[in-house]
Short mmCIF file of all heavy atoms in Angstrom, two decimals:
data_model
loop_
_atom_site.label_atom_id
_atom_site.label_comp_id
_atom_site.label_asym_id
_atom_site.label_seq_id
_atom_site.Cartn_x
_atom_site.Cartn_y
_atom_site.Cartn_z
N ILE F 297 20.98 -10.68 3.22
CA ILE F 297 21.92 -10.37 4.29
C ILE F 297 21.23 -9.55 5.37
O ILE F 297 21.40 -9.79 6.57
CB ILE F 297 23.15 -9.63 3.74
CG1 ILE F 297 23.97 -10.56 2.84
CG2 ILE F 297 24.02 -9.10 4.89
CD1 ILE F 297 25.13 -9.89 2.17
N ASP F 298 20.41 -8.54 4.97
CA ASP F 298 19.67 -7.74 5.95
C ASP F 298 18.74 -8.61 6.78
O ASP F 298 18.62 -8.43 8.00
CB ASP F 298 18.86 -6.66 5.23
CG ASP F 298 19.74 -5.49 4.78
OD1 ASP F 298 20.79 -5.27 5.40
OD2 ASP F 298 19.36 -4.82 3.79
N ASN F 299 18.09 -9.58 6.13
CA ASN F 299 17.19 -10.48 6.86
C ASN F 299 17.96 -11.34 7.85
O ASN F 299 17.49 -11.60 8.97
CB ASN F 299 16.43 -11.37 5.88
CG ASN F 299 15.39 -10.59 5.07
OD1 ASN F 299 14.90 -9.55 5.54
ND2 ASN F 299 15.08 -11.06 3.88
N GLN F 300 19.16 -11.79 7.44
CA GLN F 300 19.98 -12.59 8.34
C GLN F 300 20.44 -11.76 9.54
O GLN F 300 20.45 -12.25 10.68
CB GLN F 300 21.20 -13.13 7.59
CG GLN F 300 22.10 -14.03 8.40
CD GLN F 300 21.40 -15.30 8.85
OE1 GLN F 300 20.58 -15.84 8.13
NE2 GLN F 300 21.73 -15.77 10.04
N ILE F 301 20.78 -10.50 9.31
CA ILE F 301 21.19 -9.61 10.41
C ILE F 301 20.03 -9.42 11.39
O ILE F 301 20.22 -9.46 12.61
CB ILE F 301 21.66 -8.25 9.84
CG1 ILE F 301 22.99 -8.43 9.09
CG2 ILE F 301 21.81 -7.23 10.96
CD1 ILE F 301 23.47 -7.19 8.37
N LYS F 302 18.81 -9.24 10.85
CA LYS F 302 17.64 -9.08 11.73
C LYS F 302 17.40 -10.34 12.56
O LYS F 302 17.05 -10.26 13.74
CB LYS F 302 16.41 -8.77 10.89
CG LYS F 302 16.43 -7.37 10.25
CD LYS F 302 15.22 -7.16 9.35
CE LYS F 302 15.28 -5.80 8.67
NZ LYS F 302 14.15 -5.59 7.73
N ASP F 303 17.61 -11.52 11.93
CA ASP F 303 17.45 -12.78 12.67
C ASP F 303 18.44 -12.87 13.82
O ASP F 303 18.11 -13.31 14.93
CB ASP F 303 17.62 -13.97 11.74
CG ASP F 303 16.46 -14.15 10.79
OD1 ASP F 303 15.38 -13.59 11.06
OD2 ASP F 303 16.63 -14.82 9.74
N ILE F 304 19.69 -12.46 13.57
CA ILE F 304 20.72 -12.49 14.61
C ILE F 304 20.36 -11.53 15.73
O ILE F 304 20.49 -11.84 16.91
CB ILE F 304 22.11 -12.15 14.02
CG1 ILE F 304 22.54 -13.24 13.03
CG2 ILE F 304 23.14 -11.99 15.13
CD1 ILE F 304 23.81 -12.91 12.28
N GLN F 305 19.88 -10.34 15.37
CA GLN F 305 19.53 -9.33 16.37
C GLN F 305 18.35 -9.77 17.22
O GLN F 305 18.27 -9.46 18.41
CB GLN F 305 19.23 -7.99 15.68
CG GLN F 305 20.45 -7.34 15.07
CD GLN F 305 20.12 -6.14 14.21
OE1 GLN F 305 19.01 -6.06 13.65
NE2 GLN F 305 21.05 -5.22 14.06
N ARG F 306 17.42 -10.51 16.62
CA ARG F 306 16.25 -10.98 17.37
C ARG F 306 16.60 -12.13 18.32
O ARG F 306 15.90 -12.38 19.30
CB ARG F 306 15.15 -11.45 16.41
CG ARG F 306 14.36 -10.31 15.78
CD ARG F 306 13.10 -10.85 15.14
NE ARG F 306 13.40 -11.72 14.02
CZ ARG F 306 13.42 -11.32 12.75
NH1 ARG F 306 13.15 -10.05 12.44
NH2 ARG F 306 13.69 -12.17 11.78
N ASN F 307 17.68 -12.81 18.02
CA ASN F 307 18.07 -13.98 18.81
C ASN F 307 18.80 -13.52 20.07
O ASN F 307 20.02 -13.61 20.20
CB ASN F 307 18.97 -14.90 17.98
CG ASN F 307 19.29 -16.18 18.72
OD1 ASN F 307 18.61 -16.56 19.68
ND2 ASN F 307 20.35 -16.83 18.29
N THR F 308 18.04 -13.00 21.02
CA THR F 308 18.63 -12.49 22.26
C THR F 308 18.73 -13.60 23.29
O THR F 308 17.99 -14.56 23.27
CB THR F 308 17.76 -11.35 22.82
OG1 THR F 308 16.43 -11.85 23.05
CG2 THR F 308 17.72 -10.18 21.86
N SER F 309 19.68 -13.45 24.19
CA SER F 309 19.87 -14.44 25.24
C SER F 309 20.26 -13.72 26.52
O SER F 309 21.04 -12.75 26.50
CB SER F 309 20.95 -15.44 24.85
OG SER F 309 21.22 -16.31 25.92
#
Side-chain angles (χ1 to χ4, degrees):
I297 293 176
D298 283 334
N299 290 334
Q300 183 63 35
I301 291 174
K302 290 176 183 177
D303 288 342
I304 295 173
Q305 291 171 333
R306 282 195 294 264
N307 186 18
T308 58
S309 174

